[in-house]
Structure formats: structure tokens, C-alpha cells
């Protein structure tokens, strides 16, 4: 495939490396340094675009790809307040888009098992739960999109909780969750690629379910695999739809 990259920071460069390793070609790259060139670049020279830009740029990038009938994989998070609007536009215009908070195979297995664990422990009211996430200091959004996906998986099954709230360590804002609220605790620490932990705690014991990323490579490889999966498909997809854990 010929792939266009929207965002060419650390993730964009990793995606380029894995795309070439898997036999693909990079048609063009757009980032903050050459953003004004996006109108002059022939977007249709690419078969698909992969977006790892910023929350502010992602919505414009999605719209631009829809206008040029270009399938797009979106790994940027922080824009999900507009998710239903983007989905409606994609479906109405018969476009192709796949989005996800995390493209790592291991994380998507984690998402699946997280839901099973939440369903299993939900009847036992002596356990309270919270989500903890640690990322590098350059991450623009808190909580992470991955943490939100984890929290939403818990809320689907955990009948005592119906909403999540976020506490960003070091922000100076004290957040005390109500009984019906699931706490997501966020920490920004140096160059940590991403660590996510779900805790179920009672007076007598604690269950800890954890995923630790050793690098960003799993995210980059997963994004290229997602692009390979999306080409030839029409519609609006989540990254979880690439995986079939029900076999």
C-alpha cells in the first residue's frame, strides 16, 4: 500500500519504519511543520492515511480524508466528544474509518479480559475498583484513551458504577469519587510508554490486572496492521473489530 502519515512525531516515524518493513510505501507526511502544505499535497496518491497527530488536528484531518474519499486510521485520542458526529458523517458519506485508543495486540487482549473480569466480580459488592494509568510527560490528554476504554469496559458489567472521573496527579485538584463513580488515576512520568492497571480491592484481598508497554513499537505495528485490515472496507470501525476473541 501507499500510506499517508498525518503526524510525523515519534509515533509517525515508528509507523513509517514498520510500514516499510511490511512492504508498504510512504506517499507523504504532514505534521505541524508543514501543515500549510496539506492543501497542495495530492492526498489521493495514498491508498490510506494513518493519523497520529494531536487532538486539535485530528478532526480536521478526518474531514479532509472524507472529502478526498481516502480511508483513514486514527490513533489520536482526545477528540472523542465528537465521536458520534464523526461516525454519522462517515456512514452518510460512505467513507472508511477505523479508530482506537490503542492498537497494540496485547492491549486489545487486555480490553477483552478486562470485561470478563469485571463481569465475574460484579456480584461481589465487597470489592471496589479503580483504574490507574501512567504515561510519559509529553502526553496531551488525561486520562489516556486506553484508560477510558478500560473504564468503559468495566462500566458495562460493573452494576454499582455508571460513570468515571479522573484524578491527574500533580494537578492540585482533589477528586473524590462518589460511590457510583469509577476513579481513573493518571500519572505523567518521564518517558513511560504506557502502564495500565485495574485494581479490585476489599478488606481481605486485592486483585491487580496490569498491562505494561515496553515501547511504542506495539502501537505502531498495530496501526499498520489496522491500515491493512481497513483497505477495501467501507464504514466506521473500532480497532476491537479487527480481533475475534470468540473463536
Amino acid at each position: 500500500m501507499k500510506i499517508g502519515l498525518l503526524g510525523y512525531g515519534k509515533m509517525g516515524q515508528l509507523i513509517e519504519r514498520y510500514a516499510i518493513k511490511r512492504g508498504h510505501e510512504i506517499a507523504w507526511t504532514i505534521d505541524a511543520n508543514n501543515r500549510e502544505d496539506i492543501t497542495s499535497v495530492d492526498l489521493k496518491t495514498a491508498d490510506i492515511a494513518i493519523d497520529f497527530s494531536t487532538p486539535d488536528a485530528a478532526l480536521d484531518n478526518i474531514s479532509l480524508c472524507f472529502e478526498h474519499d481516502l480511508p483513514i486510521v486514527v490513533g489520536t485520542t482526545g477528540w472523542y466528544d465528537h465521536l458520534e458526529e464523526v461516525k454519522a458523517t462517515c456512514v452518510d458519506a460512505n467513507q472508511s474509518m477505523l479508530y482506537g485508543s490503542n492498537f497494540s495486540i496485547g492491549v486489545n487482549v487486555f480490553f477483552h479480559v478486562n470485561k470478563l473480569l469485571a463481569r465475574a466480580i460484579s456480584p461481589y459488592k465487597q470489592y471496589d475498583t479503580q483504574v490507574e494509568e501512567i504515561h510519559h510527560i509529553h502526553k496531551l490528554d488525561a486520562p489516556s484513551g486506553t484508560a477510558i476504554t478500560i473504564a468503559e469496559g468495566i462500566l458495562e458489567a460493573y452494576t454499582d458504577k455508571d460513570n468515571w472521573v479522573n484524578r491527574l496527579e500533580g494537578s492540585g485538584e482533589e477528586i473524590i469519587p462518589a460511590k457510583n463513580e469509577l476513579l481513573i488515576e493518571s500519572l505523567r512520568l518521564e518517558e513511560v510508554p504506557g502502564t495500565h492497571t485495574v485494581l479490585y480491592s476489599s478488606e481481605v484481598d486485592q486483585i491487580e490486572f496490569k498491562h505494561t508497554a515496553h515501547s511504542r513499537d506495539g502501537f505502531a505495528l498495530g496501526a499498520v496492521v489496522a491500515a491493512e485490515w481497513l483497505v477495501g472496507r467501507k464504514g466506521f470501525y473500532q480497532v476491537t473489530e479487527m480481533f475475534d476473541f470468540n473463536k
Side-chain angles (χ1 to χ4, degrees), residues 4-246:
L5 297 180
L6 295 161
Y8 196 59
K10 291 180 179 179
M11 275 301 300
Q13 293 170 39
L14 266 179
I15 290 168
E16 178 181 45
R17 186 191 310 166
Y18 277 99
I20 292 171
K21 186 181 294 187
R22 291 176 70 86
H24 306 303
E25 177 185 336
I26 302 303
W28 40 259
T29 62
I30 296 290
D31 64 10
N33 296 319
N34 66 339
R35 180 73 187 177
E36 65 279 0
D37 294 342
I38 199 166
T39 54
S40 60
V41 169
D42 184 2
L43 299 187
K44 295 281 291 210
T45 58
D47 300 308
I48 194 165
I50 299 178
D51 182 285
F52 272 84
S53 57
T54 64
D56 292 337
L59 288 172
D60 288 340
N61 292 342
I62 293 168
S63 296
L64 196 66
C65 288
F66 286 174
E67 289 171 15
H68 288 79
D69 200 30
L70 182 64
I72 182 171
V73 171
V74 182
T76 307
T77 58
W79 58 272
Y80 291 173
D81 287 348
H82 302 275
L83 188 61
E84 291 305 316
E85 172 190 340
V86 170
K87 179 179 180 180
T89 302
C90 180
V91 172
D92 291 346
N94 194 32
Q95 294 301 308
S96 304
M97 176 175 161
L98 184 149
Y99 81 97
S101 60
N102 198 308
F103 288 84
S104 159
I105 293 171
V107 167
N108 279 278
V109 173
F110 186 97
F111 289 156
H112 175 68
V113 178
N114 174 60
K115 290 182 180 181
L116 298 178
L117 179 57
R119 195 176 304 132
I121 206 165
S122 179
Y124 303 100
K125 306 307 180 185
Q126 63 267 42
Y127 288 91
D128 197 11
T129 184
Q130 75 175 64
V131 177
E132 297 177 354
E133 58 106 346
I134 307 172
H135 276 88
H136 52 85
I137 57 176
H138 313 291
K139 188 163 182 60
L140 299 177
D141 54 328
S144 68
T146 302
I148 293 173
T149 302
I150 292 168
E152 289 174 344
I154 294 169
L155 294 175
E156 285 180 21
Y158 212 71
T159 55
D160 285 354
K161 309 284 185 183
D162 56 24
N163 190 28
W164 59 263
V165 294
N166 181 238
R167 178 192 296 150
L168 177 60
E169 290 298 312
S171 67
E173 186 178 5
E174 181 62 26
I175 301 293
I176 301 175
K179 185 173 178 57
N180 67 314
E181 292 177 328
L182 172 63
L183 177 65
I184 304 176
E185 194 158 25
S186 301
L187 180 64
R188 297 293 171 259
L189 184 64
E190 297 176 350
E191 298 300 323
V192 175
T195 300
H196 296 85
T197 308
V198 181
L199 298 171
Y200 289 97
S201 301
S202 74
E203 290 185 359
V204 297
D205 60 7
Q206 178 171 284
I207 299 170
E208 182 175 312
F209 184 44
K210 183 176 183 179
H211 178 275
T212 302
H214 298 308
S215 71
R216 297 182 177 91
D217 289 52
F219 313 146
L221 173 59
V224 177
V225 173
E228 294 168 352
W229 184 88
L230 184 62
V231 163
R233 286 180 164 90
K234 289 289 186 180
F236 186 82
Y237 302 96
Q238 297 184 52
V239 66
T240 51
E241 294 177 72
M242 290 170 46
F243 302 94
D244 184 1
F245 297 120
N246 298 312

